[in-house]
Amino acid sequence: MLVAGFPADAFGTNCYVVAAAPGEQCVVVDPGIGVLDRLDALLAEHRLHPAAVLLTHGHLDHTFSVAPVCGARGITAYVHPGDREMLADPAKGLSADLRALFGGRLPYTEPEDVAELTDGATLALAGLEITVDHAPGHTGGSVLFRLPAAGSSWEAEQLCLSGDVLFAGSIGRTDLPGGSMTRMVTSLRGKILPLADDTVVLPGHGPATTIGRERATNPYLVEVAGGGARPAAPARGL
């Protein structure tokens, strides 16, 4: 298995490609702002051919380049229906301050072919089997993508692309439209904590981590699991 990625210049959003092997089809996960040249170079380096784009949620810093990536190759973008409207109107996921920051300066186009994700579904794409877990809280349509890690460079049973649900040492903010700390806690308890400790987490921002490391040290998971002082409200992610 091949997993590679890089942070976008804007907001440090991690864009990933996942393939069964070099020279094969791949999926692209969360192509954000200003990633096209670096993504093309990464695809060329590993001789990869995108078969689909997977979106962990609908925020603009994760979806901005989805239309050109899909349109250039005639492929489908996958998003949970809870965030589907943000592909047509990204402002629906932004606070007033963030709408003012973008101020209409960034052109955005909705992808032509969009498929909706469902909780518990298994996607057979690019020779991979990818499980979808609906994990709302950061947004109403946030999801995790899980797949076997066999053949990867990690000594683990499973990989989890966590978007802005879980980061190394933190979780995604819940104060933007569609966010909910109550739903986030439910997602952490029901979707994150049951994962095996050796599960490798590839988050939407920041470095990779493991479930075991986060279970032991992430103040939000410690709190959800029933111990420790309540941490401050998270502020990471768009």
Side-chain angles (χ1 to χ4, degrees):
M1 176 184 289
L2 169 66
V3 183
F6 58 89
D9 291 337
F11 300 98
T13 306
N14 290 325
C15 176
Y16 299 101
V17 296
V18 185
E24 302 287 347
Q25 288 190 319
C26 70
V27 294
V28 177
V29 182
D30 288 355
I33 299 170
V35 303
L36 293 178
D37 289 344
R38 294 176 70 187
L39 177 58
D40 285 345
L42 187 62
L43 296 171
E45 177 186 354
H46 298 289
R47 309 182 314 282
L48 298 174
H49 309 283
V53 171
L54 305 183
L55 301 173
T56 61
H57 63 289
H59 280 160
L60 188 64
D61 62 324
H62 292 252
T63 67
F64 183 76
S65 296
V66 62
V69 171
C70 290
R73 300 165 177 89
I75 59 178
T76 301
Y78 290 78
V79 69
H80 189 274
D83 283 6
R84 176 68 178 83
E85 66 178 2
M86 280 190 263
L87 290 191
D89 183 4
K92 291 185 176 180
L94 302 178
S95 65
D97 288 347
L98 285 169
R99 288 196 296 271
L101 173 65
F102 286 112
R105 291 171 294 166
L106 296 174
Y108 183 83
T109 303
E110 183 179 7
E112 291 185 5
D113 187 7
V114 178
E116 295 187 347
L117 300 166
T118 57
D119 186 35
T122 298
L123 305 176
L125 295 168
L128 305 166
E129 290 192 355
I130 303 168
T131 299
V132 179
D133 292 320
H134 183 212
H138 179 61
T139 66
S142 289
V143 299
L144 314 172
F145 295 114
R146 294 185 291 113
L147 64 162
S152 73
S153 58
W154 292 285
E155 294 182 2
E157 293 289 329
Q158 183 173 231
L159 302 179
C160 176
L161 294 125
S162 64
D164 287 7
V165 177
L166 180 67
F167 305 128
S170 191
I171 60 174
R173 63 191 294 179
T174 59
D175 61 332
L176 295 175
S180 164
M181 192 61 181
T182 299
R183 298 186 81 187
M184 176 66 86
V185 168
T186 298
S187 293
L188 295 176
R189 183 175 291 123
K191 302 294 188 178
I192 294 294
L193 285 174
L195 299 178
D197 281 351
D198 71 345
T199 300
V200 172
V201 178
L202 303 178
H205 302 266
T209 184
T210 66
I211 291 295
R213 183 179 303 141
E214 298 311 302
R215 192 192 310 279
T217 64
N218 188 312
Y220 297 95
L221 290 190
V222 171
E223 169 66 18
V224 169
R230 181 174 294 276
R236 196 167 185 183
L238 184 71

